[in-house]
């Protein structure tokens, strides 16, 4: 297995496919998944001559199950350790959901030349939780229920989420894929319960306003209007307003997990933005 060791000794697993001299595309997965969630997109970009890279966030997938570091500062530092180890230049960083927050936090801090473009797909910025400054956010009780369900019966919770709101399989007439549900559960159960529990706070309460304001590279903000996990109105349009060089692309009626349910729609758009 390919791994990189971080400043605190954590081992971060990653996949690295394609020509080493090709333009790198780096994929950042959502909670509580792994690099495997990007297999469709990695094969798509690989077939078009790109170098494709995806890592398992600490506490997720095959990376170390650490006691600490389950917050955005450490997640971004882990990405920096990976991009330094691989000496990536002009990379396109694509993040889904929590991975979109990780992308924003990393790109705002990246060394000059490391990042060429970024993509936020169904991403958690600018901030998810409701507050006086963010009245359109989700109440903290929503995330408290996430934590309670995970602690009580993680295995069942990780069936309920993909079977319902994540992929929109709870909508009338939905084309339900048992394979996607099973693969979501498989990836989730590979990771550490403590990491997933603490990551709920990281993805729901981190405020990315400052990160977004500092990013200078072109950013594609892609979001489905029927996202039941990260509601559209309080995320994508607000992020696009803050970013200096943003393109907002909305997908009518598509769910949070649209990269998996509709790759034939998303992948060409990701490629077009990368090559523009």
């Amino acid at each position: 297995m390919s791994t990189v060791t971080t400043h605190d000794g954590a081992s971060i697993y990653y996949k690295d496919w394609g020509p080493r001299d090709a333009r790198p595309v780096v994929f950042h997965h959502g909670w509580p998944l792994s690099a495997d969630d990007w297999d469709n997109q990695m094969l798509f970009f690989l077939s078009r001559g790109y170098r494709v890279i995806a890592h398992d966030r600490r506490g997720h997938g095959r990376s170390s199950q650490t006691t600490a570091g389950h917050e955005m500062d450490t997640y971004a530092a882990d990405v920096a350790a990976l991009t330094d180890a691989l000496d990536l230049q002009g990379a396109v960083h694509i993040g889904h959901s929590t991975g979109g927050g990780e992308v924003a936090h990393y790109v705002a801090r990246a060394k000059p030349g490391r990042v060429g473009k970024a993509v936020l797909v169904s991403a958690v910025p600018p901030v998810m939780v409701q507050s006086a400054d963010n009245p359109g956010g989700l109440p903290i009780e929503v995330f408290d229920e996430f934590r309670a369900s995970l602690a009580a019966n993680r295995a069942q919770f990780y069936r309920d989420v993909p079977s319902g709101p994540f992929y929109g399989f709870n909508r009338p007439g939905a084309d339900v894929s048992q394979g996607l549900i099973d693969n979501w559960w498989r990836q989730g159960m590979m990771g550490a319960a403590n990491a997933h529990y603490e990551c709920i706070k990281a993805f729901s309460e981190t405020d990315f306003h400052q990160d977004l304001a500092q990013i200078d590279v072109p950013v594609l903000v892609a979001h489905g209007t029927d996202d039941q996990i990260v509601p559209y109105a309080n995320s994508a349009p607000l992020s696009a307003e803050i970013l200096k060089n943003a393109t907002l692309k909305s997908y009518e009626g598509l769910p949070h997990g649209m990269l998996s349910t509709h790759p034939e729609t998303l992948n060409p758009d990701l490629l077009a933005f990368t090559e523009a």
Side-chain angles (χ1 to χ4, degrees), residues 72-196:
M72 284 294 164
D73 286 348
T74 303
Y75 294 161
D78 290 349
V79 175
L82 175 62
T83 57
D84 284 351
L86 300 181
D87 193 23
L88 302 183
Q89 301 294 325
V92 179
H93 284 263
I94 302 178
H96 175 248
S97 194
T98 300
E102 181 179 272
V103 166
H105 212 60
Y106 164 71
V107 172
R109 293 158 175 75
K111 294 177 180 177
R114 286 271 184 247
V115 180
K117 294 182 178 180
V119 183
L120 310 181
V121 184
S122 309
V124 297
V127 61
M128 286 193 72
V129 73
Q130 188 180 72
S131 67
D133 294 331
N134 187 42
L138 295 173
I140 189 66
E141 290 79 12
V142 172
F143 305 108
D144 288 342
E145 180 59 32
F146 271 40
R147 282 182 277 263
S149 297
L150 188 156
N153 188 343
R154 183 168 68 129
Q156 185 59 51
F157 184 44
Y158 286 4
R159 291 288 186 199
D160 296 341
V161 173
S163 298
F166 194 93
Y167 294 119
F169 291 159
N170 55 343
R171 296 306 198 201
D175 183 13
V176 177
S177 168
Q178 190 61 46
L180 283 181
I181 295 169
D182 292 346
N183 194 41
W184 202 101
W185 184 89
R186 177 191 67 84
Q187 292 178 75
M189 295 305 293
M190 287 169 65
N194 69 315
H196 294 172

Side-chain angles (χ1 to χ4, degrees), residues 34-35 44 76 83 91 124 140 154 156-157 164 173 197 200 207 210 224 228 237 270:
S34 73
F44 177 84
T83 57
V124 297
I140 189 66
R154 183 168 68 129
Q156 185 59 51
F157 184 44
Y197 187 95
I200 294 170
D207 188 332
Q210 188 173 8
Q228 300 172 68
L270 297 177

Side-chain angles (χ1 to χ4, degrees), residues 221-238 248-251:
V221 182
H223 216 105
T225 62
D226 193 34
D227 191 322
Q228 300 172 68
I229 303 296
V230 183
Y232 175 87
N234 200 56
S235 52
L238 303 185
L248 174 63
K249 190 165 183 63
S250 306
Y251 294 85

Side-chain angles (χ1 to χ4, degrees), residues 46 65 81 91 104 132 170 191 201 203 211-212 216 222 224 226 230 232 266:
L46 181 68
Q65 297 194 4
N170 55 343
K201 180 179 179 67
F203 74 65
D211 292 328
L212 297 171
D216 293 319
D226 193 34
V230 183
Y232 175 87
L266 270 294

